[in-house]
Amino acid sequence: MGPLSTIEKLGILADAAKYDASCASSGTAKKNSLGGKGIGSTEGMGICHAYAPDGRCISLLKILLTNHCIFDCHYCINRKSSNVRRARFTPQEVADLTISFYKRNYIEGLFLSSGIIKSSNFTMEQMVEAARILREECDFRGYIHLKTIPEADPELVHQAGLYADRVSINVELPTRKGLTRLAPDKDASQIEGAMGKVKSDIIEAKDAKKRFKHAPRFAPAGQSTQMIIGADAASDSDIVGRASKLYGGFGLRRVYYSAFSPIPDASAVLPLKRPPLIREHRLYQSDWLMRFYGYQVRDVQQAMGKDGNLPLDIDPKLAWALKFRSVFPLDVNRAPREQLLRVPGLGVTAVNRIIAARRHRTLRLDEVGKLTVSIAKVRPFICAADWRPTALTDRADLRKMLAPKQEQLELFAA
Amino acid sequence: MSALQSVSDQRHFSVTMPRADDFDFWRDQARRLVRCGIAPERVIWSEPGGSGDLFSASAPESEELPTPQDDAPQTRASKRFVSVAQNAILHSDPERFALLYRLLWRLQSHPRIMEDKADSDVRRIEDLAKSVRRDSHKMHAFVRFREVLHEDGAEHFVAWFEPDHHIVRANAGFFKRRFANMHWSILTPKGCIHWDGKTVRESPPAQRSDAPDGDPTEDLWRKYYASIFNPARLKVGAMMSEMPKKYWKNMPEAELIPELIAGAQSREAQMVDAGAMEHEARPETLEAMERAVQACRNCGIGELANQAVMGEGPRDAPLMIVGEQPGHQEDQTGRPFVGPAGQLLDLHLGQAGIARDRAYITNAVKHFKYVRRGKRRIHQTPTAKEVDTCRWWVEAEREVVKPKLILALGASAARAMLGKTVSINTVRGKPVMLNDGSELWITAHPSYLLRLDGDARAQQEQLFRNDLLAVRERLAELAD
Ligand code: SF4
């Protein structure tokens, strides 16, 4: 078999990256290519340049530098003992691909991760080199996300942050126990150590930037991480608890959840079934509640069942509201913002609209309807000028009324 | 008020926009009209080149716009109005100019009207602005440049795009900032923009056939698109709502979509098949396992067409002993540890005071792996992957027997318990806690002892004995 062509390598190394959930290219410093010699811009909001049939947005060229790996993590398609075809890009090839895709407006930039070849340091050097070529030789001003290797020398991780908009370090599994069992070569303390270091580098760079205009930027879009859901026995309560510690402890911008997918050549240690995708979705919803709706971890955990898992048939906000019925109904004409945000079916936009509109009029139910996506879900939880729901506590069937019909659920879970 | 004036107050005015997207022009006219006190019903706005308002024919003759009195109050508009209007004016709805004017008119007496999201004019204009923002966003995302060689040999990138609204000029800046050092053109049926590295130039509407046809990089891009998609997570609805079909025809990757969707189920089935056993339920009794394991072909060893050898012993044994794999004799008799290594193990167990018949004895790998040399079958060590694959069975046995202590003989057995390869010398002689609360002790495999002679053998036998003694002691403690 001759050497692989670029297109064959791309096939293999993109395929190997498809299990990674993180993709966003948003939230970095604004840049453009005016006055430079290369290309690229970032304007705050990331752009999804295409959508794949799995519903995920494609905004970055997401590839592995190589899928060779000296590690043997059970959930990973690239594990040493897996039979997949292997390929490897040079840093130059990665840079060339990025540039030629970028020039055609296919992507916002590069998301590079890698299996571990030779040693963690060797691999990290190669990844940093790809980013260096892009920034220094091509004067590329688009987005770069590097998935760093926690075992690598902190100095290398630091260099990665100087070239990249975002760096991420996977925590892999929600519990230490899961990590020991499924990723026997990885070490939880090392992963956290690396995150801590990136956090302090980010803070330092921000501080320096305030004082010296020309201080180098360090990962302006912050750091993120990913956990695999459903490969071990961790409950949603464990997961949400872990995520909130990560947000708090390491100042992460995002925690991505990736429902464990069946992988060819999987190890026998993995569970018998893949978790329903809807579980991942419920976790993202609860993440959202904590980031934008003022919910505490405790609130989200209270919405869970006895088994410590979020219900799958209804969203976590509704689950919380059904458990704390005495809080409702809330008067849309009087209730403060934080309380309105707890009403199932009212998003941030709808709440803002209500608050703005009620300065001008006393809202009736049909007017609230105009400001929200669907009034049916909201109605049992609010009072308006001409509306007062029958007491919630009387309605044992409320959950059934509000839960989406079964067919829809199936569709989502497909 | 004189009669003359009241007649003139009935006059209608008509404003024809020079360009569909000219906000500045609209603003200048609108300001003037407001300052002259000309109510919205009396103004007819028309698109450039369009036939104007349907009713204009029946409307009274329109006149030159009046000039406002010097002391007429200034026109006021909130920031929000201006930013919404700048977008809304790009919409293709012919009524947008009139709608905006009506709102501007109302703003003079209700300066905070934009905040009232329940007002129907405000909602309509917000909706227009929103579709324009969406269209611009899709333009940023879905423009696909193709490279063409210019006469001067320079790279030139050309795209064909079909926007819904008049957004092309408004978005030139985005492409200029992003592709500052490229020469590019975006051709659309609503007008074209070009950048040569220094200035933005506009040109009249184009046709699809004016744009180039293909670019070899598109093959790479399609390869990427097809590979990055995970067939185990098909969510077609989510894709369609973000990337409606109307955009597909100008996106090279979109032609793959039907095929990817159609093939997803079989691709997932393949993925699942490849890791098939994780999706079968594990047998729950040793008897059922015994039957099922015979049919197992999860790794290549099963294909060697010999019999699988399950464990043996009481189903509630406190001790589980795990070896590597059956050998020639085990394969013939269907029982574990009956060959030379088994006999040596028996001897040592006896000496250490561990009753073999009180232990559950099994192997990490259930089939015998060998190569044929003439009539003989020569033992071959299973690979790490084979051990990992067969682990499914050992774990099933563990679930039933639930031993308090597991003694792993050799590296393969240790791997089957830990999922990683460890060095016997560093882990022997002390317990490793397993997830289910049982204790793992690791020692050498007796067949290793069989391969040694003289001092080396004596030394290793001693270590082996020590390990077994430690295990017996620990078992006694656990029994209490
Ligand atoms: S050795 Fe184990 S995994 Fe391989 S075929 Fe036999 S029973 Fe199945």
Side-chain angles (χ1 to χ4, degrees), chain B residues 277 293 295-303 308 364-368 386 389-391 393:
Chain B
M277 58 193 169
V293 74
C296 179
R297 296 290 178 268
N298 287 334
C299 79
I301 312 180
E303 306 287 352
V365 170
K366 304 304 182 202
H367 279 97
F368 174 34
E386 286 158 348
T389 308
C390 208
R391 182 172 180 184
W393 293 108

Side-chain angles (χ1 to χ4, degrees), chain B residues 105-327:
Chain B
W105 178 263
R106 294 180 59 203
L107 262 172
Q108 307 311 307
S109 47
H110 299 88
R112 303 182 65 176
I113 204 167
M114 290 302 288
E115 290 170 21
D116 185 2
K117 309 293 175 184
D119 182 279
S120 62
D121 281 345
V122 173
R123 281 186 58 78
R124 254 190 86 194
I125 209 77
E126 295 261 8
D127 283 348
L128 294 186
K130 191 172 160 197
S131 4
V132 167
R133 278 200 309 275
R134 188 174 154 90
D135 202 32
S136 293
H137 191 75
K138 296 300 177 201
M139 180 176 177
H140 297 172
F142 298 155
V143 155
R144 296 285 180 262
F145 283 116
R146 287 173 161 164
E147 189 182 354
V148 285
L149 230 31
H150 225 230
E151 303 91 64
D152 54 10
E155 288 178 330
H156 192 132
F157 291 86
V158 182
W160 170 250
F161 188 71
E162 295 168 35
D164 288 340
H165 306 294
H166 304 281
I167 57 168
V168 179
R169 278 190 337 135
N171 283 295
F174 170 83
F175 290 95
K176 183 179 97 177
R177 289 188 295 277
R178 172 156 292 193
F179 303 110
N181 298 294
M182 255 163 60
H183 293 195
W184 52 259
S185 302
I186 300 175
L187 314 183
T188 90
K190 291 191 158 70
C192 308
I193 44 171
H194 312 267
W195 170 257
D196 59 5
K198 285 180 208 77
T199 42
V200 175
R201 191 167 57 80
E202 289 162 37
S203 68
Q207 290 182 343
R208 196 173 183 186
S209 55
D210 298 332
D213 236 0
D215 180 329
T217 302
E218 288 176 3
D219 288 337
L220 278 168
W221 175 239
R222 274 187 289 262
K223 183 75 175 181
Y224 175 70
Y225 182 76
S227 311
I228 198 64
F229 136 72
N230 184 350
R233 319 168 53 116
L234 209 54
K235 276 196 207 160
V236 180
M239 171 187 70
M240 301 289 271
S241 77
E242 296 295 345
M243 195 168 74
K245 259 198 163 142
K246 64 177 182 205
Y247 295 108
W248 291 15
K249 57 179 187 292
N250 298 317
M251 299 171 69
E253 64 274 27
E255 68 190 49
L256 299 178
I257 293 172
E259 189 189 321
L260 289 176
I261 294 175
Q265 282 210 323
S266 72
R267 257 180 87 192
E268 185 186 4
Q270 271 171 23
M271 284 161 67
V272 172
D273 260 6
M277 58 193 169
E278 344 149 36
H279 293 263
E280 283 161 26
R282 267 206 275 243
E284 278 166 17
T285 66
L286 294 174
E287 292 73 24
M289 265 177 243
E290 175 82 58
R291 282 191 302 277
V293 74
Q294 295 303 338
C296 179
R297 296 290 178 268
N298 287 334
C299 79
I301 312 180
E303 306 287 352
L304 292 172
N306 42 24
Q307 68 172 313
V309 179
M310 274 283 290
E312 191 176 87
R315 80 188 47 212
D316 55 354
L319 169 66
M320 180 161 171
I321 300 176
V322 187
E324 182 189 73
Q325 64 162 344

Side-chain angles (χ1 to χ4, degrees), chain A residues 321-365:
Chain A
L322 290 175
K323 273 208 176 163
F324 296 91
R325 295 178 188 213
S326 58
V327 174
F328 303 98
L330 290 168
D331 186 343
V332 286
N333 287 304
R334 252 183 295 271
R337 197 185 135 81
E338 318 82 75
Q339 283 189 16
L340 285 179
L341 285 172
R342 299 254 161 165
V343 174
L346 286 188
V348 174
T349 321
V351 169
N352 289 344
R353 284 181 183 163
I354 289 173
I355 289 178
R358 75 187 185 186
R359 288 194 205 114
H360 301 271
R361 58 181 81 214
T362 307
L363 290 164
R364 291 183 326 234
L365 189 66

